[in-house]
Amino acid sequence: GDSVTQMEGPVTLSEEAFLTINCTYTATGYPSLFWYVQYPGEGLQLLLKATKADDKGSNKGFEATYRKETTSFHLEKGSVQVSDSAVYFCALSDPWDYNTDKLIFGTGTRLQVFP
Amino acid sequence: DTEVTQTPKHLVMGMTNKKSLKCEQHMGHRAMYWYKQKAKKPPELMFVYSYEKLSINESVPSRFSPECPNSSLLNLHLHALQPEDSALYLCASSQEREIGNQPQHFGDGTRLSIL
């Protein structure tokens, strides 16, 4: 079945450091890929998405590129802030599977940014 | 601010109580979801409603009973819960499934504690 694998956390960085959170996926079809962020005490917020190969999603300085050849969707940010501290979830769904609307989540990666 | 509103934010109940969680969205979305999230884990899908009809039940125990009174509202009725049901319950919504894959928009959740 479809699955998502994320790097183990926590990721601990100093402010203004470069961030990469790795995400790879396994899917039988052509999935759409998402990054969601969950701040402490809150629900999930969509951070960015990509629906086909070579698409780049971007939002709030974060970027991720849909790489079909490596089945990856790594999240990057050039300069992190303390306010970026949160848990980041990579997820996929198969738009051609009309039997389900399931989002397949990775296990989540906690990011801690210190001043 | 989230566009999916969940009430209450916190709920403490005994194992013999009956309570309900409520979710509301006014984005015209026709698919709505209930998820359960334990600490340090990704959300787990419980139910999916599409056009106000239950389309997916992920083998959830009958002590959880979903209801979709109209296209904007989603309830989760709780009865005779167990301590292991303590978790964050998240509601989400998305546009019609047939449009292709649309991202899900999450509420901030109800934190449920079972005594």
Side-chain angles (χ1 to χ4, degrees), chain A residues 4-8 21-24 35 88-91 105-109:
Chain A
V4 175
T5 302
Q6 284 183 243
M7 60 189 291
E8 291 275 338
I21 299 178
N22 290 338
C23 171
T24 56
W35 276 102
Y88 292 81
F89 291 98
C90 185
F105 285 98
T107 52
T109 301

Side-chain angles (χ1 to χ4, degrees), chain A residues 44-73:
Chain A
L44 278 69
Q45 298 178 24
L46 178 67
L47 184 58
L48 52 83
K49 68 173 184 175
T51 57
K52 61 182 187 296
D54 299 325
D55 267 1
K56 177 185 281 188
S58 61
N59 185 27
K60 298 181 182 178
F62 290 90
E63 293 183 340
T65 301
Y66 189 143
R67 301 285 188 200
K68 193 170 186 298
E69 64 275 15
T70 54
T71 62
S72 65
F73 192 55

Side-chain angles (χ1 to χ4, degrees), chain B residues 65-79:
Chain B
S65 175
E67 177 197 19
C68 190
N70 60 56
S71 59
S72 299
L73 294 174
L74 185 66
N75 298 323
L76 185 63
H77 302 299
L78 316 173
H79 174 55

Side-chain angles (χ1 to χ4, degrees), chain B residues 39-92:
Chain B
K40 300 186 179 181
K41 297 290 186 182
E44 300 173 23
L45 183 66
M46 300 174 73
F47 302 104
V48 180
Y49 273 82
S50 179
Y51 290 91
E52 302 164 43
K53 294 190 188 308
L54 183 65
S55 60
I56 295 177
N57 177 340
E58 290 287 327
S59 303
V60 179
S62 60
R63 58 185 184 269
F64 295 92
S65 175
E67 177 197 19
C68 190
N70 60 56
S71 59
S72 299
L73 294 174
L74 185 66
N75 298 323
L76 185 63
H77 302 299
L78 316 173
H79 174 55
L81 295 194
Q82 303 298 308
E84 61 266 28
D85 297 323
S86 298
L88 180 68
Y89 288 83
L90 293 165
C91 175

